[in-house]
Amino acid sequence: MLHRIENIFRQQEKDKLTIYFTAGYPKLDDTQTIIKALNETDTDIIEIGIPYSDPLADGETIQQTSHQALENGMNLNLLFEQLKDLRQITDKPVFLMGYCNNVLKYGTEKFCKQCAEVGVDGLILPDMPILEYQKQFAPYFDKYGLKNVFLITPKTSEERIRAIDELNGGFIYMVSSAATTGGSWQESPEKTAYLQRIKNMKLKTPQMVGFGISDYPALRLVNQFTDGAIVGSAFLRALDPDKLEQSVKDFISLMRSNK
Amino acid sequence: MAQKIAIDENGYYGDFGGAYIPELLHPNIEELRNSYLDIMTKPDFQEKFKLLLKDYVGRPTPLYLAKKLSEKYGAKIYLKREDLNHTGAHKINNAIGQALVAKELGKKKIIAETGAGQHGVATATACALLGMECTVFMGEKDMERQKPNVERMKILGAKVEPARSGSKTLKDATNEAMRYWINNPEDTHYIIGSVVGPHPYPDMVTRFQSVISEEMMNQLQEHEGKNNPDYVIACVGGGSNAAGAFYHYLNEEDVKLICVEAAGHGVDSGETAATTAKGSDGVLHGSKTLLMQSEDGQVTEPYSISAGLDYPGIGPLHAHLFKSKRGIFKYVTDEQAMQAGVELSKLEGIIPAVESAHALAALSQIDFKASDVVVLNLSGRGDKDLQTYINHGSY
């Protein structure tokens, strides 16, 4: 049987969109509401952020939402509890994004087992190096059928990209430029050249581009070269705590509309 | 002999170390990792570095036999006078070393994090000396507690960036510096001030600070006719002065290595920076180490009266010293440290930094023999802490 994530990338003829949000933000119990709302939109993959006290790779928006979520009382046991009915709510692939320390402290095997039980498809841990993945994480990921997502940047060497491609990840997370999350997307010859260069490598792992993508033109552009776009900070900024579901749907419509 | 204490090719001391970094930092860390040893061991680099340590920093720092202190604690206690270094602490050894490495790497700009401001001042000084642009990240809360050092950095031409995230202290200043480096990787070198961070930082900083124990060995030979003391005592926040003071003794088993952590209001008070007492394995600032964290892996806000020890983690070398029991760990409260600081001032005419005062307070926790030779690393001077002494009173 194909992994849920592999099915998504079989659908050739459409711009693919991953939406990231921080679990427990704006309010502690909003996690399910947001997943339900996203399920009714043209979103392809759902990425749920585990709030962390020290999110190194994240810019101000996700630092703030993480901080708020922790203040709200978010924690891992609660998150897995909130995701208990995940597979009754949505068929879309779901990835958890967090930092190594979340997983290590929880216990890598226990964490992976919980993910598998609730139906999470894979993990994105931006501070996990390849070496540590192979040594400490891969055996559990394999045991519980989880896909890992590695990040590459415009500075990642071809050799390293090839090595990552061999690791059979869910997709390759292409960081759009040298920056933390939530910056602005400016189209530039360098960016296009980067997208083209990766496209030309004909990797077997699908690629999605994230960091700084916030509107339709950027979504369209990266889909011309790669397998999709990841939007996080812009989505979080658009959330309206008072009209949560509607603000989710409005944002996705906007991302998808050529106006 | 027990397992040798050394770093392996992946940057681990036993279970601790490594490089847990976002891919965005990979090229910079990889460049450093591939070149730091070659650069540091080149004869002309060594010559430049040693000359600056001698003529500019004022090394070697004295090894002073503190007679009254010795009398009080019943052992022969020497103070390694790192407080007499230019800028007032051991931090300058590493700042100059790394600034020279940055030059070799062709970097024009330097960033640094600072807690008490000592590493920030040292880095600003090294940058002024070597003509490099300098930005120092400092927790907003620390900027308030350490105003004179903020102004010192500015006078030296550095830009001071307040870190407003998280607990607004050293850990957050480090996060902000790393984020800035992610956003500006090309022409910038990040001078980490302690033996923390991703490999190769802990090893590089340890090597630059190892001049402390190198001098100790020679000076003890002169004073005592032997290289090895019975004890080396140092305070540990991130652990750079301790790493330097221990380095050449790591595998000398007759030397007891005493690491003194800040207990704040008490190890079990909930307001502490005693990482080895309250911490567990985890990843902080790019390395696997011991850190204070919640059940859920959220990093805990530490507390200590000393901004330089107010850090929720500890360098991977020290985590290994703790786990392997090669290091003996002691915990000293705010109150005990302040009393020890005042005591040294009265007994020996030396006002120590509040960080170093923690090491001094550990003297009363050790059962010395009269014949014991003890070297206590007096890592910094107390000028920056005058307000803390005044607030504490009782002198």
Side-chain angles (χ1 to χ4, degrees):
Chain A
M1 201 181 88
L2 275 182
H3 204 277
R4 215 176 271 117
I5 184 75
E6 289 164 330
N7 266 324
I8 291 292
F9 295 112
R10 291 215 154 180
Q11 307 160 22
Q12 299 285 337
E13 301 309 317
K14 111 184 238 295
D15 290 350
K16 282 175 247 11
L17 173 63
T18 294
I19 291 290
Y20 165 96
F21 72 96
T22 307
Y25 175 87
K27 291 203 276 298
L28 186 59
D29 298 329
D30 286 338
T31 312
Q32 275 205 9
T33 315
I34 294 176
I35 298 171
K36 278 182 192 157
L38 282 172
N39 189 54
E40 290 167 27
T41 65
D42 191 2
T43 299
D44 297 285
I45 299 172
I46 299 172
E47 186 188 333
I48 304 172
I50 302 164
Y52 183 46
S53 56
D54 294 72
L56 259 190
D58 286 303
E60 268 179 42
T61 302
I62 295 178
Q63 286 175 42
Q64 255 168 31
T65 57
S66 299
H67 182 75
Q68 185 61 50
L70 290 173
E71 291 274 297
N72 291 346
M74 199 51 183
N75 63 53
L76 275 173
N77 283 326
L78 186 61
L79 176 60
F80 284 124
E81 181 63 31
Q82 289 178 349
L83 296 180
K84 202 174 65 212
D85 303 324
L86 178 68
R87 288 305 163 204
Q88 271 95 65
I89 302 173
T90 184
D91 286 331
K92 296 181 191 294
V94 171
F95 282 73
L96 291 188
M97 188 257 163
Y99 287 80
C100 280
N101 200 49
N102 301 128
V103 180
L104 288 171
K105 179 68 182 166
Y106 195 80
T108 307
E109 171 148 28
K110 186 176 151 204
F111 187 95
C112 291
K113 189 162 176 265
Q114 285 275 21
C115 285
E117 276 173 15
V118 300
V120 163
D121 298 280
L123 294 170
I124 306 170
L125 303 169
D127 61 341
M128 180 166 65
I130 296 176
L131 178 78
E132 306 304 339
Y133 172 72
Q134 290 171 318
K135 252 183 11 196
Q136 303 179 47
F137 293 85
Y140 298 120
F141 279 48
D142 293 344
K143 181 173 173 188
Y144 294 101
L146 299 173
K147 291 280 189 182
N148 187 55
V149 171
F150 286 100
L151 283 72
I152 65 169
T153 79
K155 299 279 169 209
T156 307
S157 68
E158 174 160 353
E159 187 191 358
R160 201 168 155 79
I161 295 173
R162 294 275 177 215
I164 286 170
D165 194 32
E166 290 303 316
L167 292 169
N168 192 27
F171 57 90
I172 288 174
Y173 193 133
M174 287 174 63
V175 176
S176 61
S177 60
T180 42
T181 57
S184 63
W185 173 273
Q186 272 134 7
E187 216 177 310
S188 68
E190 290 80 20
K191 224 167 246 170
T192 315
Y194 167 50
L195 297 172
Q196 185 67 55
R197 177 166 65 86
I198 303 303
K199 182 184 167 82
N200 291 346
M201 286 181 74
K202 300 196 187 314
L203 302 172
K204 55 187 181 193
T205 315
Q207 314 101 48
M208 298 191 97
V209 184
F211 284 39
I213 296 181
S214 61
D215 58 14
Y216 174 79
L219 169 73
R220 188 77 270 281
L221 177 77
V222 302
N223 268 282
Q224 282 163 10
F225 293 91
T226 67
D227 302 286
I230 305 165
V231 178
S233 298
F235 176 72
L236 291 165
R237 286 193 290 260
L239 290 181
D240 180 344
D242 299 326
K243 292 178 283 180
L244 193 58
E245 291 181 64
Q246 197 53 47
S247 62
V248 169
K249 289 173 186 169
D250 289 348
F251 181 82
I252 306 300
S253 309
L254 202 66
M255 279 304 297
R256 290 289 190 183
S257 91
N258 183 17
K259 278 173 204 145
Chain B
M1 177 163 175
Q3 193 85 36
K4 200 167 178 288
I5 307 276
I7 195 160
D8 73 15
E9 54 171 359
N10 294 318
Y12 277 86
Y13 303 91
D15 294 337
F16 301 109
Y20 294 77
I21 45 162
E23 181 65 25
L24 293 143
L25 284 178
H26 183 82
N28 282 7
I29 296 294
E30 194 65 7
E31 177 185 35
L32 204 55
R33 174 188 161 136
N34 288 334
S35 51
Y36 81 108
L37 284 177
D38 289 343
I39 292 174
M40 286 178 72
T41 51
K42 268 196 308 196
D44 64 323
F45 180 94
Q46 275 295 321
E47 196 181 316
K48 237 187 292 179
F49 179 51
K50 288 200 166 137
L51 196 68
L52 283 175
L53 287 185
K54 176 171 170 285
D55 295 338
Y56 186 74
V57 175
R59 301 203 72 94
T61 58
L63 186 74
Y64 163 70
L65 176 61
K67 290 214 180 73
K68 288 196 233 165
L69 201 66
S70 300
E71 222 166 87
K72 167 136 200 207
Y73 291 101
K76 214 166 176 187
I77 301 172
Y78 288 91
L79 300 176
K80 180 60 175 162
R81 299 290 310 274
E82 291 301 299
D83 61 316
L84 294 178
N85 281 323
H86 180 42
T87 70
H90 69 290
K91 293 286 186 190
I92 190 81
N93 303 330
N94 168 55
I96 288 187
Q98 279 200 53
L100 288 172
V101 168
K103 281 221 141 174
E104 293 284 325
L105 291 171
K107 308 280 179 176
K108 306 264 183 287
K109 295 180 187 163
I110 295 294
I111 54 170
E113 85 295 338
T114 197
Q118 289 307 96
H119 173 57
V121 168
T123 304
T125 300
C127 289
L129 174 72
L130 298 169
M132 302 177 92
E133 203 182 308
C134 179
T135 305
V136 179
F137 293 83
M138 189 169 186
E140 207 170 37
K141 206 165 115 194
D142 289 337
M143 287 179 74
E144 282 162 31
R145 337 190 236 191
Q146 306 284 341
K147 272 201 185 119
N149 271 346
V150 174
E151 297 310 315
R152 264 184 205 116
M153 287 185 266
K154 289 183 182 164
I155 293 169
L156 290 160
K159 199 169 145 206
V160 183
E161 280 286 341
R164 297 197 171 95
S165 59
S167 56
K168 303 180 177 63
T169 58
L170 177 57
K171 133 183 125 67
D172 309 286
T174 309
N175 289 338
E176 289 304 321
M178 284 195 175
R179 288 189 187 113
Y180 179 92
W181 207 20
I182 285 174
N183 285 285
N184 302 273
E186 298 280 324
D187 56 352
T188 303
H189 174 72
Y190 177 16
I191 301 188
I192 295 185
S194 193
V195 290
V196 302
H199 177 60
Y201 277 102
D203 188 46
M204 179 167 62
V205 177
T206 298
R207 284 167 188 268
F208 281 131
Q209 293 294 1
S210 69
V211 64
I212 301 173
S213 49
E214 188 185 317
E215 289 175 7
M216 278 182 191
M217 282 192 146
N218 296 332
Q219 290 165 324
L220 276 176
Q221 187 64 44
E222 229 168 82
H223 286 279
E224 295 286 330
K226 59 177 188 180
N227 289 331
N228 292 5
D230 298 290
Y231 292 87
V232 180
I233 305 176
C235 63
V236 176
S240 70
N241 92 78
F246 295 164
Y247 186 76
H248 290 284
Y249 297 118
L250 286 173
N251 295 300
E252 303 285 317
E253 282 183 77
D254 54 325
V255 182
K256 296 179 193 72
L257 307 176
I258 310 288
C259 312
V260 186
E261 285 202 273
H265 289 141
V267 168
D268 296 316
S269 67
E271 291 180 297
T272 185
T275 305
T276 52
K278 304 309 277 183
S280 54
D281 292 20
V283 171
L284 180 67
H285 295 141
S287 66
K288 194 167 187 189
T289 188
L290 288 168
L291 66 133
M292 300 199 302
Q293 55 185 327
S294 71
E295 279 301 308
D296 214 39
Q298 309 295 345
V299 182
T300 313
E301 286 180 27
Y303 165 79
S304 165
I305 194 168
S306 143
L309 302 181
D310 198 358
Y311 184 68
I314 188 172
L317 166 63
H318 300 293
H320 181 54
L321 291 178
F322 178 76
K323 209 162 224 184
S324 66
K325 300 199 165 64
R326 174 67 186 98
I328 301 161
F329 283 72
K330 303 281 180 194
Y331 310 101
V332 162
T333 63
D334 289 359
E335 183 57 35
Q336 292 164 336
M338 294 311 296
Q339 280 175 16
V342 171
E343 179 183 85
L344 186 75
S345 308
K346 306 268 191 224
L347 284 180
E348 301 285 349
I350 300 169
I351 304 178
V354 174
E355 288 77 15
S356 320
H358 282 74
L360 289 159
L363 288 171
S364 65
Q365 297 185 18
I366 301 166
D367 205 6
F368 294 115
K369 293 197 301 278
S371 59
D372 282 339
V373 173
V374 178
V375 179
L376 187 145
N377 197 37
L378 201 71
S379 55
R381 69 175 86 124
D383 304 22
K384 69 176 175 62
D385 296 316
L386 205 55
Q387 196 56 49
T388 310
Y389 278 105
I390 293 168
N391 293 347
H392 182 259
S394 74
Y395 46 84

